Amino acid sequence: MSHFGRAGPPDIRDTYSLLVLNITFRTTADDLFPLFDKYGKVVDVFIPRDRRTGDSRGFAFVRYKYADEAQKAVDKLDGRVVDGREIMVQFAKYGPDAERIHKGRIVEPVEKLKGRSRSRSPRPRYRDDHRDRDYRRRDRSRSRDRYDERYRGRDRDRYRSRSRSRSPDYRRERRRGRYDDDKGRSPSPNRSVSPPARGSASPRKSVSPRRSPSRSRSPVARDEKERSPTPKSVSPRGRSDSRSPSPQRSDADE
DNA sequence: GTTGAGCGTT
């Protein structure tokens, strides 16, 4: 039914892929299908989602059967507000398998229709094809790197596949940008493997400044207070759960 | 519950 992209690419003999950007994170293919289908024959609608979380990335791919209809949808739906967000529809350039050309068949309406409609979107941004696209890729990481940093090194390779092979030095730089305070972590190899005893590891900085005084002053007293905050009227729900009730496990975990 | 430049799967 509306499970587009669930069974993989249906048939891309001469379908034109449109890239829909700036869509809401909760917009599904079902919402885009009737929207794009009204302007032409939509072969398939696919919305890439996260590998780990499974959430939408914020963009979708709409495949049209004809380029004229696709172009029309781009001109009509591009810049249209969907779900309260303005979406941007444009022809997909980067494909998993060079959809632009299929078996010698020219499937690139962008060149043919490029001069047809110049009104792209109310929000024209830099579209540098031969420009240094390294900075843009690095820049967009600041919003989704929170996931990338977890599986970096595995699935990340496939993402880099579509891009030109870059030196390994590049990825170090981009990740260093996030850890500005990590500039001095290199000469401290033992620091990476010395978090066993947080109570005696860093006597100088200790852990948290807020809970530090409580512990250093009277660790037992705090425990008692947390365990029995108000003897006269204790909460029936058990607010003693304020902090992790199992700190011993967390210590040896990481 | 968050995030908003960009390009895709069985």
Side-chain angles (χ1 to χ4, degrees):
Chain A
M1 252 178 12
S2 307
H3 297 282
F4 299 104
R6 186 58 67 90
D11 49 345
I12 46 175
R13 289 175 294 199
D14 39 349
T15 57
Y16 302 89
S17 300
L18 292 183
L19 175 64
V20 185
L21 298 173
N22 213 26
I23 65 176
T24 57
F25 292 101
R26 52 189 188 183
T27 301
T28 59
D30 285 340
D31 299 336
L32 297 179
F33 175 70
L35 196 71
F36 284 80
D37 188 55
K38 294 186 298 183
Y39 294 95
K41 182 64 173 64
V42 177
V43 182
D44 178 45
V45 179
F46 170 64
I47 299 182
R49 30 183 215 175
D50 194 279
R51 294 276 195 235
R52 310 152 296 277
T53 61
D55 291 343
S56 303
R57 285 189 184 177
F59 63 93
F61 289 95
V62 181
R63 277 180 177 166
Y64 274 91
K65 188 63 175 62
Y66 302 99
D68 56 337
E69 295 178 345
Q71 176 58 36
K72 185 172 184 177
V74 174
D75 189 55
K76 298 298 182 184
L77 297 177
D78 183 31
R80 193 60 60 90
V81 180
V82 177
D83 196 62
R85 202 78 176 186
E86 186 181 90
I87 65 173
M88 295 188 296
V89 184
Q90 54 191 247
F91 287 93
K93 292 167 75 173
Y94 312 99
D97 286 319
E99 291 182 4
R100 297 176 298 186
I101 302 178
H102 185 86
K103 291 181 172 59
R105 188 182 185 110
I106 305 299
V107 188
E108 195 170 286
V110 58
E111 288 184 353
K112 185 186 299 180
L113 301 171
K114 180 181 288 184
R116 182 174 172 182
S117 66
R118 54 243 178 252
S119 302
R120 185 173 317 227
S121 62
R123 285 180 55 191
R125 60 184 58 166
Y126 347 97
R127 289 203 36 149
D128 301 335
D129 293 339
H130 64 284
R131 195 59 68 89
D132 44 334
R133 43 190 292 186
D134 296 359
Y135 83 99
R136 59 204 285 185
R137 298 206 56 78
R138 176 192 59 187
D139 197 49
R140 83 150 166 80
S141 315
R142 85 283 183 267
S143 57
R144 272 176 36 218
D145 251 6
R146 65 176 189 269
Y147 302 108
D148 295 356
E149 66 181 52
R150 292 195 173 186
Y151 73 106
R152 65 169 71 257
R154 184 168 56 98
D155 290 69
R156 183 176 53 78
D157 283 2
R158 57 182 300 283
Y159 283 95
R160 295 297 171 194
S161 296
R162 51 174 171 76
S163 280
R164 294 185 183 89
S165 304
R166 49 178 51 87
S167 302
D169 308 295
Y170 172 79
R171 67 184 214 185
R172 286 191 75 260
E173 286 186 355
R174 65 186 290 269
R175 81 181 296 273
R176 273 179 68 247
R178 295 172 64 262
Y179 301 94
D180 290 357
D181 49 1
D182 279 3
K183 56 180 67 174
R185 77 181 286 184
S186 29
S188 299
N190 55 353
R191 182 173 178 268
S192 299
V193 291
S194 288
R198 62 178 64 176
S200 63
S202 302
R204 177 184 57 138
K205 187 183 179 73
S206 190
V207 275
S208 298
R210 60 173 183 270
R211 64 177 296 179
S212 219
S214 303
R215 179 180 289 262
S216 63
R217 184 181 297 274
S218 306
V220 182
R222 184 189 66 84
D223 225 334
E224 274 188 38
K225 190 166 64 177
E226 286 291 285
R227 198 160 299 188
S228 302
T230 46
K232 53 187 175 184
S233 64
V234 64
S235 301
R237 293 186 301 183
R239 291 181 63 87
S240 57
D241 190 41
S242 176
R243 193 60 70 173
S244 298
S246 308
Q248 63 278 9
R249 190 176 182 277
S250 299
D251 275 358
D253 194 19
E254 286 270 338

